[in-house]
Amino acid sequence: MKGLLLKDYYLIRSILYIILVVFAVIGIGMSFLTSTWVLTVIATVMLGMISVTTINMDKSSGWRKVSAVLPVSKAAFVDSKYVLYLLLSGIGLLLGIILSAIVSMFRGQLDYNFMLLFISISIAMALLSGSMTIPFAFLFSEEKSMLGLIIAYPLSALVFVGAALLIDNELIACSLVAIAGMVLYTASWIISRKRIANRDVN
Amino acid sequence: MQSSALVVNGLTKKYQDFVLDNVSFSVPSGTIVGLIGENGAGKSTTINAILGLINKDSGTIELLGKPDSAFDGDLRNQIGVVFDGSNYPDALSAKKLNSVFKNIYSAWDENRFFSLLQEMSLPADKKIKDFSKGMKMKLSIAVAFSHNSKLLVLDEATSGLDPVVRDDILDMFLEFVQDESNSILVSSHITSDLEKVADYIVFIHKGKVVFCKSKDELRYKYGIIRCGAAQFDAIDKDEVIAYRKQDYEWELLVADRDAAQRKYPKAVVDPATIDEIMLLYVKGEAK
């Protein structure tokens, strides 16, 4: 799996500057419009999404076919994308926290409750959407897998709204959604290993 | 007895509009077997099933003496695969690809890979997106040759390449099978390439194996009788594999051209190329 992740690392490095520009534009804009801590959500989701992008890149380059004949198990290919998603989301979360904390300190608005709230929102958003977008990218063509991206984020937001309506405490509600995200992500991983790994590769 | 690097027996895969039907053949060790057939005949489906890319409906496949159910780890290390076109991410260079494969193939030979790059005049640092089609194909072949492969499986590896590059690649195949424990299965619709390198020819048509014969038998025994209508009527069709009418003559494919020449001394009996044999099987009529 190390080799597969290394290949993805090279791929990501080649598109990193685009991601950084998009992150800077959206991040700065959103942090002015809402809260500085929204940067953690944007960074977590954006970096995690790159893992999904690499699945589509593998399909269009033909690497998907090559990877199926390499001396790695079929499940390892699926695993590598789920692991990469977690790694990138984790890096995004960390990056978001650092950036948001620095900006908040400069503004004199460092609120730990707010920080925890946005961290749980970031984790929940990343895991909920990842549990849908990764299998979508594996199963469908590049165009159709975009549908997964379009559905995943509003659906994740809907879960938040539902939790917020049911539970008064925002932090508890978000934490529960984050736990639900972890459960869903794990379930998605297990199902993908069993179903996607054994599908025909054309 | 010569052992086989690959044995395919009764391979069947059903699609809605196509059936790969009971395909059987083998690749003896130390030989090159060419898989021929028109586009859509089932060559790639056969190769995909052999490599485990698609799940077969029935049949057995044995790779390097092991059943395909054991097709992972050690076995995959010994099988080099080249697909049509480039299948490596464009953003990578050959050097980066080396780092990737070093972490995937247990028997990856870095020195061999870089010496092959040099031999093939492939730049190590240039991104794959800047490679020509021929360079990409050479790179795929360099990868296949760099992990101690015992069996090479190549799907249309020479299509779309200029004759010079194709010739270089074919020479590499011949060099590879100098070691008698190495073998190659290569699918191609460029039959002239196979005439140069293949030891055996497997002809697939509409998902079925039409024949599996040694190239020498096809080249030295098969023949085409060319004759006019009167002579065509006089020829015993039981001895003819297939025939078709051309603009000014009849062409009849026979399995023993010397016997045909003896029986019909006035007829012109030419040696048959693999192309002609394939065309007569596909387009001709059989009794």
Side-chain angles (χ1 to χ4, degrees):
Chain A
M1 190 158 73
K2 197 178 156 194
L4 296 176
L5 289 172
L6 186 65
K7 189 275 301 170
D8 283 335
Y9 164 72
Y10 288 137
L11 266 188
I12 292 162
R13 220 173 56 172
S14 71
I15 54 165
L16 198 63
Y17 68 98
I18 303 171
I19 296 153
L20 288 176
V21 170
V22 175
F23 174 66
V25 173
I26 298 175
I28 293 167
M30 290 291 279
S31 60
F32 272 109
L33 288 171
T34 55
S35 159
T36 312
W37 287 100
V38 84
L39 280 174
T40 56
V41 182
I42 295 167
T44 311
V45 170
M46 268 189 69
L47 261 80
M49 252 172 68
I50 302 171
S51 173
V52 181
T53 312
T54 63
I55 300 173
N56 286 323
M57 288 168 96
D58 287 346
K59 277 194 271 188
S60 57
S61 69
W63 176 262
R64 177 72 192 98
K65 211 171 169 183
V66 171
S67 67
V69 295
L70 294 175
V72 288
S73 71
K74 285 181 175 179
F77 183 72
V78 174
D79 290 347
S80 73
K81 298 301 176 185
Y82 275 88
V83 169
L84 185 70
Y85 190 89
L86 289 179
L87 279 173
L88 291 170
S89 300
I91 293 167
L93 181 66
L94 208 68
L95 191 76
I97 292 170
I98 294 166
L99 280 174
S100 303
I102 292 168
V103 178
S104 299
M105 274 193 288
F106 271 113
R107 285 181 170 179
Q109 298 169 337
L110 191 58
D111 179 339
Y112 289 106
N113 271 338
F114 221 50
M115 184 179 85
L116 284 174
L117 181 70
F118 272 93
I119 288 173
S120 50
I121 290 174
S122 305
I123 294 170
M125 277 298 278
L127 295 178
L128 283 174
S129 57
S131 62
M132 289 176 258
T133 52
I134 297 174
F136 257 82
F138 272 124
L139 290 170
F140 302 110
S141 65
E142 212 168 324
E143 294 79 23
K144 282 184 183 168
S145 69
M146 283 298 289
L147 202 72
L149 283 174
I150 295 165
I151 294 168
Y153 294 105
L155 217 64
S156 306
L158 215 69
V159 176
F160 275 107
V161 175
L165 288 173
L166 290 170
I167 304 159
D168 283 339
N169 188 316
E170 279 180 327
L171 189 59
I172 294 173
C174 288
S175 303
L176 284 174
V177 178
I179 292 166
M182 285 177 209
V183 173
L184 206 67
Y185 191 82
T186 311
S188 166
W189 192 340
I190 292 167
I191 294 166
S192 293
R193 267 183 133 250
K194 283 186 181 164
R195 296 286 170 89
I196 295 166
N198 292 319
R199 280 171 64 91
D200 288 353
V201 181
N202 287 306
Chain B
M1 201 180 99
Q2 195 174 20
S3 63
S4 289
L6 170 69
V7 182
V8 179
N9 201 2
L11 175 64
T12 302
K13 173 76 179 175
K14 289 178 183 141
Y15 292 103
Q16 252 181 348
D17 53 352
F18 175 77
V19 179
L20 189 71
D21 192 7
N22 202 26
V23 167
S24 300
F25 65 92
S26 64
V27 178
S29 296
T31 66
I32 299 178
V33 173
L35 203 55
I36 62 165
E38 74 272 31
N39 290 335
K43 303 188 296 291
S44 292
T45 308
T46 304
I47 284 181
N48 288 345
I50 289 167
L51 296 172
L53 291 168
I54 56 171
N55 298 301
K56 60 184 189 293
D57 292 329
S58 61
T60 58
I61 296 165
E62 211 175 272
L63 287 144
L64 301 171
K66 290 178 185 171
D68 61 337
S69 54
F71 187 39
D72 52 13
D74 280 352
L75 200 52
R76 282 175 193 263
N77 262 301
Q78 295 176 66
I79 297 169
V81 182
V82 179
F83 295 113
D84 182 16
S86 170
N87 291 285
Y88 302 127
D90 278 351
L92 267 64
S93 61
K95 201 172 172 181
K96 283 176 181 164
L97 217 50
N98 170 66
S99 307
V100 171
F101 286 131
K102 209 160 69 173
N103 284 288
I104 290 177
Y105 286 106
S106 60
W108 182 253
D109 188 342
E110 200 172 0
N111 294 330
R112 168 108 172 109
F113 180 66
F114 282 112
S115 76
L116 279 169
L117 291 185
Q118 215 164 16
E119 226 173 89
M120 295 172 167
S121 310
L122 294 174
D125 288 311
K126 200 173 179 178
K127 283 188 177 176
I128 294 170
K129 71 174 173 195
D130 298 322
F131 278 24
S132 67
K133 188 173 180 187
M135 288 163 85
K136 285 175 182 174
M137 196 52 78
K138 280 180 175 180
L139 179 64
S140 299
I141 289 166
V143 170
F145 278 137
S146 299
H147 53 87
N148 202 18
S149 303
K150 291 283 166 210
L151 171 66
L152 288 186
V153 179
L154 309 118
D155 190 8
E156 301 287 355
T158 54
S159 63
L161 302 179
D162 67 67
V164 178
V165 175
R166 271 190 4 234
D167 199 57
D168 288 347
I169 290 171
L170 296 179
D171 283 342
M172 289 180 71
F173 293 168
L174 289 171
E175 201 185 310
F176 179 72
V177 289
Q178 290 301 305
D179 179 344
E180 287 187 3
S181 62
N182 293 342
S183 322
I184 298 177
L185 172 68
V186 54
S187 88
S188 180
H189 54 255
I190 307 172
T191 51
S192 59
D193 285 354
L194 298 178
E195 261 175 73
K196 185 182 172 191
V197 298
D199 298 295
Y200 296 93
I201 300 289
V202 178
F203 175 35
I204 295 187
H205 178 52
K206 290 183 179 170
K208 287 182 180 175
V209 171
V210 177
F211 64 72
C212 176
K213 292 188 181 297
S214 84
K215 183 188 70 184
D216 289 344
E217 185 183 342
L218 295 172
R219 268 173 63 182
Y220 300 118
K221 292 196 91 178
Y222 273 57
I224 295 176
I225 304 174
R226 299 180 202 280
C227 60
Q231 200 163 28
F232 172 78
D233 292 335
I235 291 172
D236 180 2
K237 302 298 180 298
D238 284 338
E239 293 162 358
V240 174
I241 298 167
Y243 56 87
R244 67 171 175 165
K245 189 172 178 351
Q246 294 288 65
D247 288 345
Y248 303 106
E249 63 182 11
W250 282 88
E251 285 181 349
L252 301 93
L253 181 68
V254 288
D256 189 339
R257 70 167 180 258
D258 292 336
Q261 188 70 84
R262 278 194 300 274
K263 195 165 179 186
Y264 310 105
K266 286 182 183 171
V268 175
V269 187
D270 291 330
T273 63
I274 295 172
D275 240 353
E276 287 170 325
I277 295 171
M278 199 170 102
L279 278 171
L280 270 156
Y281 265 109
V282 174
K283 290 188 162 181
E285 290 172 54
K287 192 200 162 197

